[in-house]
mmCIF file of all heavy atoms in Angstrom:
data_model
loop_
_atom_site.group_PDB
_atom_site.id
_atom_site.type_symbol
_atom_site.label_atom_id
_atom_site.label_comp_id
_atom_site.label_asym_id
_atom_site.label_seq_id
_atom_site.Cartn_x
_atom_site.Cartn_y
_atom_site.Cartn_z
ATOM 1 N N GLY A 1 35.012 -52.484 16.269
ATOM 2 C CA GLY A 1 34.384 -53.785 16.416
ATOM 3 C C GLY A 1 35.217 -54.808 17.157
ATOM 4 O O GLY A 1 34.997 -56.022 17.000
ATOM 5 N N ARG A 2 36.137 -54.336 17.966
ATOM 6 C CA ARG A 2 36.995 -55.246 18.723
ATOM 7 C C ARG A 2 36.354 -55.552 20.068
ATOM 8 O O ARG A 2 35.710 -54.704 20.688
ATOM 9 C CB ARG A 2 38.376 -54.631 18.945
ATOM 10 C CG ARG A 2 39.094 -54.210 17.674
ATOM 11 C CD ARG A 2 39.693 -55.382 16.951
ATOM 12 N NE ARG A 2 40.805 -55.946 17.687
ATOM 13 C CZ ARG A 2 42.032 -56.110 17.194
ATOM 14 N NH1 ARG A 2 42.300 -55.736 15.954
ATOM 15 N NH2 ARG A 2 42.989 -56.656 17.921
ATOM 16 N N SER A 3 36.575 -56.763 20.545
ATOM 17 C CA SER A 3 35.985 -57.180 21.823
ATOM 18 C C SER A 3 36.924 -56.981 23.001
ATOM 19 O O SER A 3 36.500 -57.076 24.156
ATOM 20 C CB SER A 3 35.586 -58.659 21.745
ATOM 21 O OG SER A 3 36.726 -59.473 21.494
ATOM 22 N N GLU A 4 38.209 -56.683 22.735
ATOM 23 C CA GLU A 4 39.157 -56.511 23.829
ATOM 24 C C GLU A 4 38.875 -55.221 24.608
ATOM 25 O O GLU A 4 38.208 -54.318 24.114
ATOM 26 C CB GLU A 4 40.600 -56.445 23.306
ATOM 27 C CG GLU A 4 41.020 -57.620 22.470
ATOM 28 C CD GLU A 4 40.918 -57.328 20.976
ATOM 29 O OE1 GLU A 4 39.898 -56.740 20.557
ATOM 30 O OE2 GLU A 4 41.846 -57.694 20.247
ATOM 31 N N HIS A 5 39.428 -55.174 25.804
ATOM 32 C CA HIS A 5 39.344 -53.975 26.629
ATOM 33 C C HIS A 5 40.737 -53.581 27.102
ATOM 34 O O HIS A 5 41.606 -54.443 27.308
ATOM 35 C CB HIS A 5 38.439 -54.204 27.844
ATOM 36 C CG HIS A 5 36.999 -54.390 27.485
ATOM 37 N ND1 HIS A 5 36.166 -53.343 27.190
ATOM 38 C CD2 HIS A 5 36.255 -55.522 27.369
ATOM 39 C CE1 HIS A 5 34.966 -53.801 26.903
ATOM 40 N NE2 HIS A 5 34.992 -55.125 26.999
ATOM 41 N N ALA A 6 40.941 -52.281 27.259
ATOM 42 C CA ALA A 6 42.214 -51.788 27.769
ATOM 43 C C ALA A 6 42.374 -52.150 29.246
ATOM 44 O O ALA A 6 41.392 -52.338 29.974
ATOM 45 C CB ALA A 6 42.308 -50.280 27.584
ATOM 46 N N ILE A 7 43.623 -52.245 29.665
ATOM 47 C CA ILE A 7 43.972 -52.535 31.053
ATOM 48 C C ILE A 7 44.505 -51.263 31.697
ATOM 49 O O ILE A 7 45.298 -50.537 31.085
ATOM 50 C CB ILE A 7 45.043 -53.641 31.132
ATOM 51 C CG1 ILE A 7 44.557 -54.919 30.446
ATOM 52 C CG2 ILE A 7 45.436 -53.931 32.579
ATOM 53 C CD1 ILE A 7 45.643 -55.975 30.292
ATOM 54 N N ALA A 8 44.101 -50.991 32.905
ATOM 55 C CA ALA A 8 44.587 -49.809 33.620
ATOM 56 C C ALA A 8 45.990 -50.059 34.149
ATOM 57 O O ALA A 8 46.245 -51.057 34.824
ATOM 58 C CB ALA A 8 43.649 -49.468 34.776
ATOM 59 N N GLY A 9 46.904 -49.149 33.831
ATOM 60 C CA GLY A 9 48.234 -49.188 34.416
ATOM 61 C C GLY A 9 48.222 -48.576 35.808
ATOM 62 O O GLY A 9 47.189 -48.132 36.313
ATOM 63 N N SER A 10 49.384 -48.540 36.402
ATOM 64 C CA SER A 10 49.505 -48.010 37.758
ATOM 65 C C SER A 10 49.269 -46.508 37.787
ATOM 66 O O SER A 10 49.641 -45.783 36.866
ATOM 67 C CB SER A 10 50.894 -48.329 38.322
ATOM 68 O OG SER A 10 51.074 -47.729 39.583
ATOM 69 N N GLU A 11 48.656 -46.046 38.860
ATOM 70 C CA GLU A 11 48.474 -44.611 39.081
ATOM 71 C C GLU A 11 49.743 -43.974 39.647
ATOM 72 O O GLU A 11 49.866 -42.742 39.673
ATOM 73 C CB GLU A 11 47.325 -44.373 40.068
ATOM 74 C CG GLU A 11 45.969 -44.873 39.608
ATOM 75 C CD GLU A 11 45.219 -43.863 38.770
ATOM 76 O OE1 GLU A 11 45.791 -42.787 38.512
ATOM 77 O OE2 GLU A 11 44.082 -44.150 38.364
ATOM 78 N N SER A 12 50.674 -44.804 40.105
ATOM 79 C CA SER A 12 51.873 -44.300 40.781
ATOM 80 C C SER A 12 53.128 -44.775 40.066
ATOM 81 O O SER A 12 53.176 -45.888 39.539
ATOM 82 C CB SER A 12 51.924 -44.789 42.237
ATOM 83 O OG SER A 12 50.756 -44.412 42.939
ATOM 84 N N GLY A 13 54.143 -43.918 40.064
ATOM 85 C CA GLY A 13 55.427 -44.306 39.524
ATOM 86 C C GLY A 13 56.206 -45.174 40.501
ATOM 87 O O GLY A 13 55.815 -45.346 41.661
ATOM 88 N N LEU A 14 57.305 -45.738 40.011
ATOM 89 C CA LEU A 14 58.148 -46.575 40.868
ATOM 90 C C LEU A 14 58.956 -45.718 41.830
ATOM 91 O O LEU A 14 59.237 -44.541 41.562
ATOM 92 C CB LEU A 14 59.104 -47.410 40.004
ATOM 93 C CG LEU A 14 58.599 -48.773 39.534
ATOM 94 C CD1 LEU A 14 57.308 -48.658 38.744
ATOM 95 C CD2 LEU A 14 59.664 -49.482 38.707
ATOM 96 N N ARG A 15 59.334 -46.340 42.944
ATOM 97 C CA ARG A 15 60.235 -45.701 43.898
ATOM 98 C C ARG A 15 61.568 -46.413 43.877
ATOM 99 O O ARG A 15 61.635 -47.630 43.684
ATOM 100 C CB ARG A 15 59.650 -45.721 45.308
ATOM 101 C CG ARG A 15 58.428 -44.817 45.473
ATOM 102 C CD ARG A 15 57.980 -44.780 46.918
ATOM 103 N NE ARG A 15 57.471 -46.076 47.370
ATOM 104 C CZ ARG A 15 57.390 -46.455 48.643
ATOM 105 N NH1 ARG A 15 57.814 -45.644 49.598
ATOM 106 N NH2 ARG A 15 56.892 -47.639 48.948
ATOM 107 N N GLN A 16 62.622 -45.650 44.053
ATOM 108 C CA GLN A 16 63.972 -46.198 43.979
ATOM 109 C C GLN A 16 64.150 -47.337 44.975
ATOM 110 O O GLN A 16 63.833 -47.208 46.160
ATOM 111 C CB GLN A 16 64.998 -45.088 44.269
ATOM 112 C CG GLN A 16 66.392 -45.363 43.766
ATOM 113 C CD GLN A 16 66.541 -45.111 42.281
ATOM 114 O OE1 GLN A 16 65.917 -44.223 41.732
ATOM 115 N NE2 GLN A 16 67.362 -45.910 41.627
ATOM 116 N N ASN A 17 64.641 -48.500 44.491
ATOM 117 C CA ASN A 17 64.975 -49.665 45.319
ATOM 118 C C ASN A 17 63.780 -50.245 46.080
ATOM 119 O O ASN A 17 63.958 -50.879 47.121
ATOM 120 C CB ASN A 17 66.092 -49.302 46.313
ATOM 121 C CG ASN A 17 67.347 -48.822 45.620
ATOM 122 O OD1 ASN A 17 67.768 -49.385 44.617
ATOM 123 N ND2 ASN A 17 67.947 -47.766 46.159
ATOM 124 N N VAL A 18 62.568 -50.026 45.552
ATOM 125 C CA VAL A 18 61.362 -50.589 46.163
ATOM 126 C C VAL A 18 60.661 -51.450 45.110
ATOM 127 O O VAL A 18 60.369 -50.969 44.008
ATOM 128 C CB VAL A 18 60.404 -49.491 46.670
ATOM 129 C CG1 VAL A 18 59.108 -50.105 47.197
ATOM 130 C CG2 VAL A 18 61.082 -48.657 47.749
ATOM 131 N N LEU A 19 60.402 -52.708 45.432
ATOM 132 C CA LEU A 19 59.713 -53.595 44.497
ATOM 133 C C LEU A 19 58.241 -53.195 44.432
ATOM 134 O O LEU A 19 57.530 -53.253 45.434
ATOM 135 C CB LEU A 19 59.844 -55.053 44.941
ATOM 136 C CG LEU A 19 59.168 -56.084 44.024
ATOM 137 C CD1 LEU A 19 59.878 -56.147 42.678
ATOM 138 C CD2 LEU A 19 59.158 -57.466 44.706
ATOM 139 N N PRO A 20 57.755 -52.808 43.255
ATOM 140 C CA PRO A 20 56.343 -52.413 43.146
ATOM 141 C C PRO A 20 55.443 -53.640 43.192
ATOM 142 O O PRO A 20 55.879 -54.763 42.887
ATOM 143 C CB PRO A 20 56.275 -51.734 41.776
ATOM 144 C CG PRO A 20 57.361 -52.400 40.992
ATOM 145 C CD PRO A 20 58.462 -52.707 41.970
ATOM 146 N N PRO A 21 54.185 -53.473 43.549
ATOM 147 C CA PRO A 21 53.262 -54.610 43.515
ATOM 148 C C PRO A 21 53.048 -55.101 42.091
ATOM 149 O O PRO A 21 53.133 -54.323 41.136
ATOM 150 C CB PRO A 21 51.975 -54.044 44.122
ATOM 151 C CG PRO A 21 52.080 -52.563 43.950
ATOM 152 C CD PRO A 21 53.534 -52.238 44.031
ATOM 153 N N LEU A 22 52.766 -56.386 41.974
ATOM 154 C CA LEU A 22 52.492 -56.979 40.667
ATOM 155 C C LEU A 22 51.027 -56.700 40.323
ATOM 156 O O LEU A 22 50.132 -57.432 40.750
ATOM 157 C CB LEU A 22 52.780 -58.481 40.692
ATOM 158 C CG LEU A 22 52.604 -59.236 39.375
ATOM 159 C CD1 LEU A 22 53.571 -58.718 38.319
ATOM 160 C CD2 LEU A 22 52.810 -60.737 39.590
ATOM 161 N N ASP A 23 50.785 -55.643 39.568
ATOM 162 C CA ASP A 23 49.415 -55.264 39.249
ATOM 163 C C ASP A 23 48.930 -55.996 38.001
ATOM 164 O O ASP A 23 49.652 -56.791 37.393
ATOM 165 C CB ASP A 23 49.301 -53.745 39.091
ATOM 166 C CG ASP A 23 50.205 -53.185 38.000
ATOM 167 O OD1 ASP A 23 50.772 -53.966 37.203
ATOM 168 O OD2 ASP A 23 50.346 -51.947 37.928
ATOM 169 N N ASP A 24 47.700 -55.715 37.604
ATOM 170 C CA ASP A 24 47.095 -56.428 36.472
ATOM 171 C C ASP A 24 47.869 -56.208 35.179
ATOM 172 O O ASP A 24 48.025 -57.134 34.371
ATOM 173 C CB ASP A 24 45.643 -55.983 36.281
ATOM 174 C CG ASP A 24 44.729 -56.465 37.395
ATOM 175 O OD1 ASP A 24 45.123 -57.390 38.131
ATOM 176 O OD2 ASP A 24 43.612 -55.912 37.526
ATOM 177 N N ALA A 25 48.333 -54.987 34.956
ATOM 178 C CA ALA A 25 49.046 -54.695 33.717
ATOM 179 C C ALA A 25 50.350 -55.480 33.640
ATOM 180 O O ALA A 25 50.655 -56.114 32.624
ATOM 181 C CB ALA A 25 49.316 -53.196 33.611
ATOM 182 N N ALA A 26 51.139 -55.441 34.709
ATOM 183 C CA ALA A 26 52.419 -56.161 34.712
ATOM 184 C C ALA A 26 52.207 -57.665 34.607
ATOM 185 O O ALA A 26 52.953 -58.368 33.917
ATOM 186 C CB ALA A 26 53.207 -55.815 35.970
ATOM 187 N N ARG A 27 51.184 -58.165 35.277
ATOM 188 C CA ARG A 27 50.891 -59.605 35.209
ATOM 189 C C ARG A 27 50.525 -60.015 33.781
ATOM 190 O O ARG A 27 50.976 -61.049 33.279
ATOM 191 C CB ARG A 27 49.770 -59.962 36.179
ATOM 192 C CG ARG A 27 49.483 -61.460 36.273
ATOM 193 C CD ARG A 27 48.392 -61.772 37.269
ATOM 194 N NE ARG A 27 48.824 -61.498 38.639
ATOM 195 C CZ ARG A 27 48.415 -60.466 39.371
ATOM 196 N NH1 ARG A 27 47.551 -59.595 38.862
ATOM 197 N NH2 ARG A 27 48.848 -60.293 40.593
ATOM 198 N N ALA A 28 49.732 -59.197 33.112
ATOM 199 C CA ALA A 28 49.342 -59.498 31.737
ATOM 200 C C ALA A 28 50.553 -59.458 30.799
ATOM 201 O O ALA A 28 50.667 -60.268 29.873
ATOM 202 C CB ALA A 28 48.272 -58.516 31.271
ATOM 203 N N ILE A 29 51.455 -58.508 31.036
ATOM 204 C CA ILE A 29 52.680 -58.433 30.239
ATOM 205 C C ILE A 29 53.491 -59.710 30.392
ATOM 206 O O ILE A 29 53.932 -60.328 29.406
ATOM 207 C CB ILE A 29 53.521 -57.212 30.653
ATOM 208 C CG1 ILE A 29 52.811 -55.912 30.271
ATOM 209 C CG2 ILE A 29 54.914 -57.266 30.009
ATOM 210 C CD1 ILE A 29 53.390 -54.682 30.938
ATOM 211 N N ILE A 30 53.709 -60.127 31.623
ATOM 212 C CA ILE A 30 54.497 -61.341 31.872
ATOM 213 C C ILE A 30 53.850 -62.550 31.219
ATOM 214 O O ILE A 30 54.526 -63.375 30.573
ATOM 215 C CB ILE A 30 54.670 -61.552 33.388
ATOM 216 C CG1 ILE A 30 55.546 -60.435 33.983
ATOM 217 C CG2 ILE A 30 55.292 -62.924 33.669
ATOM 218 C CD1 ILE A 30 55.583 -60.428 35.492
ATOM 219 N N ASP A 31 52.539 -62.671 31.335
ATOM 220 C CA ASP A 31 51.835 -63.814 30.737
ATOM 221 C C ASP A 31 52.035 -63.852 29.224
ATOM 222 O O ASP A 31 52.260 -64.916 28.642
ATOM 223 C CB ASP A 31 50.344 -63.756 31.068
ATOM 224 C CG ASP A 31 50.045 -64.071 32.530
ATOM 225 O OD1 ASP A 31 50.945 -64.593 33.221
ATOM 226 O OD2 ASP A 31 48.912 -63.788 32.971
ATOM 227 N N GLU A 32 51.961 -62.698 28.577
ATOM 228 C CA GLU A 32 52.129 -62.664 27.121
ATOM 229 C C GLU A 32 53.576 -62.929 26.721
ATOM 230 O O GLU A 32 53.857 -63.686 25.780
ATOM 231 C CB GLU A 32 51.676 -61.313 26.568
ATOM 232 C CG GLU A 32 51.803 -61.171 25.057
ATOM 233 C CD GLU A 32 50.972 -62.169 24.286
ATOM 234 O OE1 GLU A 32 49.856 -62.512 24.724
ATOM 235 O OE2 GLU A 32 51.444 -62.612 23.202
ATOM 236 N N VAL A 33 54.494 -62.304 27.423
ATOM 237 C CA VAL A 33 55.908 -62.441 27.077
ATOM 238 C C VAL A 33 56.394 -63.882 27.259
ATOM 239 O O VAL A 33 57.185 -64.387 26.449
ATOM 240 C CB VAL A 33 56.765 -61.484 27.932
ATOM 241 C CG1 VAL A 33 58.251 -61.750 27.714
ATOM 242 C CG2 VAL A 33 56.450 -60.033 27.596
ATOM 243 N N MET A 34 55.919 -64.536 28.278
ATOM 244 C CA MET A 34 56.431 -65.860 28.613
ATOM 245 C C MET A 34 55.677 -66.993 27.918
ATOM 246 O O MET A 34 55.912 -68.169 28.221
ATOM 247 C CB MET A 34 56.392 -66.060 30.138
ATOM 248 C CG MET A 34 57.202 -65.038 30.926
ATOM 249 S SD MET A 34 58.932 -64.908 30.394
ATOM 250 C CE MET A 34 59.532 -66.553 30.825
#
């Protein structure tokens, strides 16, 4: 009976020394943490 929905994480892993794009999951994490 919850109204929330899951967020899709990235389909791709990180690459060494490459800044990944700020996707919806990471943005939501930052918003909650901060």
Side-chain angles (χ1 to χ4, degrees):
R2 304 282 291 236
S3 61
E4 304 98 316
H5 292 281
I7 302 171
S10 175
E11 298 273 3
S12 304
L14 271 57
R15 291 185 293 159
Q16 201 79 34
N17 301 317
V18 175
L19 181 67
L22 183 62
D23 59 11
D24 290 343
R27 185 179 292 106
I29 292 166
I30 293 170
D31 288 346
E32 180 61 36
V33 172
M34 301 306 295

